[in-house]
Amino acid sequence: MLKIQFKDHRKPAMWLVDSLLKLGRDPNCEIVVEDSNVDLEHCQLLIEHEDITLTNLSHNKSIFVNEIPVVKTHKLVAWDIIRLGDVELEIIDPLSERSSPPVPVQSNKTVIRPIISPWMLKANSSPLAGQFFQVNHAFTIGRDDGADIVVPLSFISRIHAKLLVKRGKLFIEDLESSNGTFVNDEKIKSRQLENGDEVRLDEFSFSVIGPDGINKSTPPIKIKSKGAKKLARPTATTNHEEASISTQKIFLHDISVTSTGKVYEINRRKNHLSKMLGHHLSTSETSVSARHIYLSEEDVGWEVINNGAADGLLVNGKMQTRAVLRDGDEMIVGGTKLKFQDNGETPANYFVPTKEESSMVKIVFVLTLIAGALAIAYTQGWL
């Protein structure tokens, strides 16, 4: 028999006996998940003997199992990790905890890993806005409960369109819908989709997220700026700490509207970008995921990867799963806008105070002068 527990152990583990358990923010749920990014009734677990079926109940929030979005249902097994918002729960097997893990038996057989599609859709319209949907093989969209993505709106046909992944490429086909299917505002019957395309079913839209840049047949060539001083790459004899140092120092400039000019200096090859930003943002900034955006130095240059952040990754205004950055590129991680710099040994000055800030500085300066003049007049007995 299996149990479910919060990964941070905030509450005791619960046995999964034959029942129906609901998870969400509602105090009436069997498992209450206190997180602002979780719906009142976010999902449910149906336990029948040894079978555990997870069903997504949310119409506007995503749910992930092992960082793969769950569209409708998913069969759970021991050690699966469920993520709702920023909260993680784990399915555990107490018997495995009590005994040592078995020694793996060497085998000459090749282990076939399950294929995970690199293609995803992000819903831009209510009531599914912000949800991510992994696209594997044939996939349907419509208002009928039998569709893989159910859009419960009257202007969507029962089975409106079909998506198909074929040889790594994503295609869409309109299934004779009443109001049409559009790609980048062009009405289509069928079309191959690319990363960054907008798919619209009448008024309901999705953003296409898929392989881009580094995944293409010819990888982009990284041209180092003359001003960038290259560090010596660690040799095979260096220790682990030395091997983690990047060959080039880079800077990320916070250029958000509310920015105070913060600059992040990066000199490590592997960087957990969301975690780094989270350590410096105020606690009121809730739109930045605490995980899953990574920045690393590769042979082709500095690569940024979205490995499951619910709020996505924008590079130069386009939704991306991964991209190789160039000097001056801008990206948005949650609500934080960053400018990438790999030219030079010192950070450039991209910070421009707003008009309000400039006016405030002038006002403070004038008030200081007035206060000084009044102090002098008072001491001299002029007042």
Side-chain angles (χ1 to χ4, degrees), residues 281-287:
L281 293 169
S282 68
T283 54
S284 62
E285 177 56 82
T286 58
S287 60

Side-chain angles (χ1 to χ4, degrees), residues 312-333:
L313 166 69
L314 283 172
V315 178
N316 296 328
K318 292 184 178 181
M319 185 68 71
Q320 304 279 14
T321 53
R322 61 198 303 159
V324 177
L325 298 175
R326 299 288 180 265
D327 187 65
D329 280 351
E330 296 180 0
M331 57 182 170
I332 297 178
V333 180

Side-chain angles (χ1 to χ4, degrees), residues 205-218:
S205 73
F206 295 92
S207 294
V208 178
I209 303 173
D212 186 66
I214 193 170
N215 286 343
K216 294 181 179 178
S217 57
T218 305

Side-chain angles (χ1 to χ4, degrees), residues 137-185:
H137 308 297
F139 209 77
T140 56
I141 308 174
R143 75 170 191 271
D144 190 272
D145 287 340
D148 294 297
I149 300 180
V150 179
V151 183
L153 299 171
S154 60
F155 54 79
I156 301 294
S157 295
R158 294 176 66 83
I159 302 295
H160 195 111
K162 179 174 71 174
L163 294 158
L164 177 66
V165 178
K166 188 175 181 181
R167 295 182 179 178
K169 297 179 179 180
L170 180 62
F171 299 86
I172 188 169
E173 178 184 354
D174 181 82
L175 299 180
E176 299 183 358
S177 65
S178 299
N179 294 314
T181 300
F182 301 79
V183 175
N184 301 327
D185 291 327

Side-chain angles (χ1 to χ4, degrees), residues 111-362:
V111 177
I112 306 298
R113 295 183 182 273
I115 296 174
I116 299 177
S117 171
W119 293 99
M120 298 177 72
L121 293 183
K122 180 183 179 182
N124 300 322
S125 308
S126 296
L128 305 182
Q131 286 204 59
F132 288 80
F133 303 93
Q134 193 94 23
V135 181
N136 290 291
H137 308 297
F139 209 77
T140 56
I141 308 174
R143 75 170 191 271
D144 190 272
D145 287 340
D148 294 297
I149 300 180
V150 179
V151 183
L153 299 171
S154 60
F155 54 79
I156 301 294
S157 295
R158 294 176 66 83
I159 302 295
H160 195 111
K162 179 174 71 174
L163 294 158
L164 177 66
V165 178
K166 188 175 181 181
R167 295 182 179 178
K169 297 179 179 180
L170 180 62
F171 299 86
I172 188 169
E173 178 184 354
D174 181 82
L175 299 180
E176 299 183 358
S177 65
S178 299
N179 294 314
T181 300
F182 301 79
V183 175
N184 301 327
D185 291 327
E186 179 183 345
K187 191 172 184 178
I188 58 97
K189 174 60 181 174
S190 62
R191 173 73 65 85
Q192 180 182 338
L193 297 174
E194 302 288 344
N195 178 57
D197 282 348
E198 182 190 55
V199 173
R200 184 164 54 81
L201 313 183
D202 192 38
E203 297 179 0
F204 191 96
S205 73
F206 295 92
S207 294
V208 178
I209 303 173
D212 186 66
I214 193 170
N215 286 343
K216 294 181 179 178
S217 57
T218 305
I221 299 173
K222 175 67 174 176
I223 300 175
K224 302 286 187 180
S225 304
K226 290 183 179 180
K229 186 177 179 181
K230 193 169 184 177
L231 306 175
R233 184 175 288 279
T235 64
T237 57
T238 57
N239 60 32
H240 176 75
E241 182 67 23
E242 292 172 330
S244 66
I245 302 299
S246 63
T247 63
Q248 179 190 8
K249 180 167 60 177
I250 63 168
F251 303 94
L252 292 179
H253 300 258
D254 186 346
I255 57 171
S256 306
V257 175
T258 57
S259 171
T260 57
K262 175 71 179 180
V263 179
Y264 303 92
E265 180 179 314
I266 296 175
N267 58 11
R268 303 183 70 84
R269 298 188 64 194
K270 305 290 183 182
N271 302 276
H272 197 309
L273 188 55
S274 297
K275 200 172 190 179
M276 180 190 76
L277 292 174
H279 287 168
H280 295 277
L281 293 169
S282 68
T283 54
S284 62
E285 177 56 82
T286 58
S287 60
V288 177
S289 290
R291 51 191 298 117
H292 309 315
I293 300 289
Y294 298 92
L295 179 67
S296 60
E297 186 185 37
E298 307 294 343
D299 290 338
V300 292
W302 286 89
E303 181 185 14
V304 62
I305 299 175
N306 179 3
N307 195 27
D311 38 36
L313 166 69
L314 283 172
V315 178
N316 296 328
K318 292 184 178 181
M319 185 68 71
Q320 304 279 14
T321 53
R322 61 198 303 159
V324 177
L325 298 175
R326 299 288 180 265
D327 187 65
D329 280 351
E330 296 180 0
M331 57 182 170
I332 297 178
V333 180
T336 305
K337 188 174 185 180
L338 301 166
K339 194 176 189 75
F340 175 78
Q341 177 195 343
D342 68 353
N343 183 4
E345 282 294 295
T346 56
N349 183 16
Y350 292 121
F351 177 62
V352 179
T354 62
K355 292 181 179 180
E356 291 78 4
E357 290 173 328
S358 300
S359 300
M360 183 60 68
V361 170
K362 291 178 181 178

